[in-house]
Amino acid sequence: MGPSYNETTTAEELVGHFPAEIKDKVVLTTGPSPTSIGATFVEAIARAQPALIILAGRNLSKLRKTADAISQKQPQVPVRLLQLDLGSLAAVREAAAEVKSWDDVPHIDVLVNNAGIMATKFALSPDGFENQFATNHLGHFLFTNLIMDKVLASRSPRVVNVSSDGHRLGPIRWADYNFREGETYNKWSAYGQSKTANILMAVSLAEKLGPKGLMAYSLHPGVIFSTSLSSGLDDLDTDIAALNALDKSLGNAEGWRELRLKTDQEGAATTVYAAFEPALQENNGAYLQDCHVADPWTDTVKPWATDKMEAEKLWKLSEKLVGQDLSHFQGIPWVAQLLRDNDFITSPLPSRVYKSTTTEDRLFSATIKSPSTIAECLMQYRRPAPDSKPFSPKAIPTTEVRVFCTLGTDLDGFPGILHGGMVATLLDEFTGLILSLSLGGGEPGQDGPVTAYLNTKFVGPVLTPSTVVVSGRITEAKDNRKWKLNGDIKDENGSESQQQAIVAANASI
């Protein structure tokens, strides 16, 4: 019989039991800032000589403090920092692209999604989602999926989601996950929704990728008020009273029960257990507590957090919200190959502000994502150079954009051939995206740049139905007021063989 673990087991104690499982592993942990259980976790496992510890977080100065703490005690353990703002989907994509570009890190053995915020005032993320749901779930969902190829390259890949028994405070609010933009907001209900999402995500990962060898777990670390997580609370006494009131209204025993506080070492123990306990392979997708698989009869485990149907619904919703349902394009081999290009960041097509008063706006509102016209669209932009300077806070200083389009037949000029006017419109619209990104949506108070001329050369017909890639590049810029661009449309043959594009264009804007 193996050792017995409980709520008083410490992270250091478990590291002593799992030295072989930790040694030579590559471990990426989000949110390991000082005074967090993430920091306690990485500092503890460093004793067992992992091959590399990657610290990912928004504040690099805080990450450096954790890295220094590791290096002081274990100078032989390599540590790498990754800037990752989970509240911004664009920032998540940039961080994932950086990870994928690390040729010297071919695989990641353990991904610990530890970062989180708790019971904060209502706010929307830059992408328009309730901030706790965005930071605690959507950011981790996107980041995990974007680097999954490197995780699955491990011989024994694991993903660990640090959740909470706070999931008891609320299921996924399918019709109101944004709390009506704050009208129905309760900070603890929102926290509960985000923690439920952490558990459901692990359930889905186990279901979808378990056959490929992935182990996925979620966990409740315990109540640890000494960590930075509680820093978001306005007034501890008032917020705890509000928590108790919500628990009582829901009939949860926690509303009447005194909190049992854990130390940082005790709080990080279940993360170590989830990441390295070999026996857990028999419980893929499980929710853990106090270094054991949580028992719904005796532990706080709400059925809405472990139900496979709820997990699948959340997966589909999350794909939609982050714009990362790549299943269509990943099924097209030549497109899938381009999507793996680490020099480009994959992103959903920016939403267009349709004014309905112009022919162009009416055209695109009726054609984008319409099965018989332009069924699917997906954008990539070239990763900005490290020394590039953005034009505005929201700008992305990229030099090249490409948009994949699956075309239907309702825009044909002749049967099976896309209308020439639509070809020019695609080039104008999607080549111009590069300026929308570079300028961050244009200068305040302006509608943004407009095309002065577009010179289009037809080398061959654009066939339908088909999938093509529309590319645009900046060739000349003058005072951030005038630009020259070139672009082209390629199909499968042009993309694979690097032959001449079927349509090429030069534009002045």
Side-chain angles (χ1 to χ4, degrees), residues 80-233:
R80 184 172 298 190
L81 307 186
L82 173 70
Q83 189 158 34
L84 170 64
D85 180 358
L86 289 162
S88 163
L89 297 181
V92 169
R93 288 188 170 90
E94 290 185 21
E98 182 175 345
V99 172
K100 291 162 70 176
S101 73
W102 292 341
D103 294 334
D104 60 333
V105 185
H107 67 270
I108 295 170
D109 297 291
V110 180
L111 168 61
V112 180
N113 291 320
N114 165 81
I117 56 177
M118 180 177 73
T120 53
K121 292 180 179 179
F122 179 78
L124 293 177
S125 73
D127 305 285
F129 305 118
E130 188 277 315
N131 212 29
Q132 294 189 77
F133 190 61
T135 302
N136 295 350
H137 170 60
L138 291 177
H140 278 130
F141 175 86
L142 179 59
F143 183 68
T144 300
N145 278 282
L146 288 176
I147 67 168
M148 185 53 69
D149 285 349
K150 287 213 169 184
V151 175
L152 292 178
S154 167
R155 292 183 178 180
S156 54
R158 288 200 187 195
V159 174
V160 176
N161 284 353
V162 178
S163 180
S164 168
D165 72 348
H167 75 274
R168 70 184 186 273
L169 301 172
I172 304 300
R173 297 164 59 93
W174 300 109
D176 188 26
Y177 51 80
N178 254 14
F179 293 84
R180 290 189 174 273
E181 316 305 310
E183 291 181 16
T184 59
Y185 188 68
N186 177 296
K187 62 168 62 177
W188 288 112
S189 296
Y191 179 68
Q193 173 178 245
S194 71
K195 295 292 101 179
T196 291
N198 294 154
I199 301 173
L200 291 174
M201 176 180 156
V203 172
S204 281
L205 285 171
E207 281 289 304
K208 295 176 181 296
L209 297 175
K212 293 187 177 182
L214 180 72
M215 301 288 111
Y217 306 99
S218 58
L219 63 94
H220 169 50
V223 181
I224 313 106
F225 278 128
S226 59
T227 69
S228 55
L229 184 63
S230 60
S231 62
L233 299 178

Side-chain angles (χ1 to χ4, degrees), residues 117-424:
I117 56 177
M118 180 177 73
T120 53
K121 292 180 179 179
F122 179 78
L124 293 177
S125 73
D127 305 285
F129 305 118
E130 188 277 315
N131 212 29
Q132 294 189 77
F133 190 61
T135 302
N136 295 350
H137 170 60
L138 291 177
H140 278 130
F141 175 86
L142 179 59
F143 183 68
T144 300
N145 278 282
L146 288 176
I147 67 168
M148 185 53 69
D149 285 349
K150 287 213 169 184
V151 175
L152 292 178
S154 167
R155 292 183 178 180
S156 54
R158 288 200 187 195
V159 174
V160 176
N161 284 353
V162 178
S163 180
S164 168
D165 72 348
H167 75 274
R168 70 184 186 273
L169 301 172
I172 304 300
R173 297 164 59 93
W174 300 109
D176 188 26
Y177 51 80
N178 254 14
F179 293 84
R180 290 189 174 273
E181 316 305 310
E183 291 181 16
T184 59
Y185 188 68
N186 177 296
K187 62 168 62 177
W188 288 112
S189 296
Y191 179 68
Q193 173 178 245
S194 71
K195 295 292 101 179
T196 291
N198 294 154
I199 301 173
L200 291 174
M201 176 180 156
V203 172
S204 281
L205 285 171
E207 281 289 304
K208 295 176 181 296
L209 297 175
K212 293 187 177 182
L214 180 72
M215 301 288 111
Y217 306 99
S218 58
L219 63 94
H220 169 50
V223 181
I224 313 106
F225 278 128
S226 59
T227 69
S228 55
L229 184 63
S230 60
S231 62
L233 299 178
D234 297 323
D235 178 85
L236 186 59
D237 291 338
T238 301
D239 284 323
I240 293 301
L243 171 61
N244 286 337
L246 179 58
D247 267 323
K248 289 177 180 178
S249 71
L250 295 171
N252 294 330
E254 286 83 356
W256 292 272
R257 195 162 60 199
E258 186 174 344
L259 292 174
R260 191 267 174 191
L261 300 182
K262 283 189 175 185
T263 66
D264 292 0
Q265 275 287 326
E266 292 169 344
T270 306
T271 306
V272 178
Y273 181 80
F276 302 109
E277 168 59 76
L280 278 178
Q281 294 182 16
E282 300 176 3
N283 300 98
N284 200 7
Y287 170 66
L288 314 175
Q289 177 176 327
D290 296 334
C291 301
H292 66 259
V293 176
D295 183 350
W297 290 101
T298 57
D299 299 318
T300 299
V301 186
K302 295 298 184 181
W304 59 64
T306 57
D307 182 80
K308 291 182 180 180
M309 181 61 71
E310 292 282 290
E312 181 62 16
K313 285 175 63 178
L314 178 63
W315 190 275
K316 293 296 184 184
L317 174 64
S318 302
E319 283 185 329
K320 176 183 176 182
L321 296 183
V322 304
Q324 200 65 24
D325 182 2
L326 304 183
S327 56
H328 170 77
F329 288 110
Q330 285 175 336
I332 304 172
W334 70 272
V335 176
Q337 182 177 354
L338 289 174
L339 291 176
R340 290 192 290 269
D341 186 343
N342 290 330
D343 289 334
F344 283 80
I345 295 174
T346 302
S347 173
L349 199 66
S351 58
R352 203 179 204 278
V353 179
Y354 299 109
K355 302 174 184 177
S356 75
T357 56
T358 68
T359 302
E360 183 183 27
D361 285 338
R362 287 199 301 271
L363 172 65
F364 273 91
S365 64
T367 54
I368 296 292
K369 301 292 284 186
S370 174
S372 60
T373 53
I374 303 176
E376 296 287 345
C377 276
L378 185 67
M379 180 183 74
Q380 286 189 314
Y381 59 88
R382 184 172 291 279
R383 195 141 50 94
D387 58 348
S388 57
K389 296 181 180 180
F391 177 74
S392 68
K394 293 184 178 181
I396 300 173
T398 184
T399 58
E400 184 175 358
V401 166
R402 56 193 186 195
V403 179
F404 302 95
C405 302
T406 294
L407 304 172
T409 58
D410 277 6
L411 298 175
D412 287 357
F414 292 94
I417 299 176
L418 188 66
H419 191 286
M422 191 62 200
V423 170

Side-chain angles (χ1 to χ4, degrees), residues 437-460:
L437 294 176
S438 298
L439 298 177
E443 296 183 64
Q446 298 183 0
D447 288 331
V450 295
T451 305
Y453 74 81
L454 178 71
N455 182 20
T456 306
K457 178 182 179 181
F458 290 83
V459 181

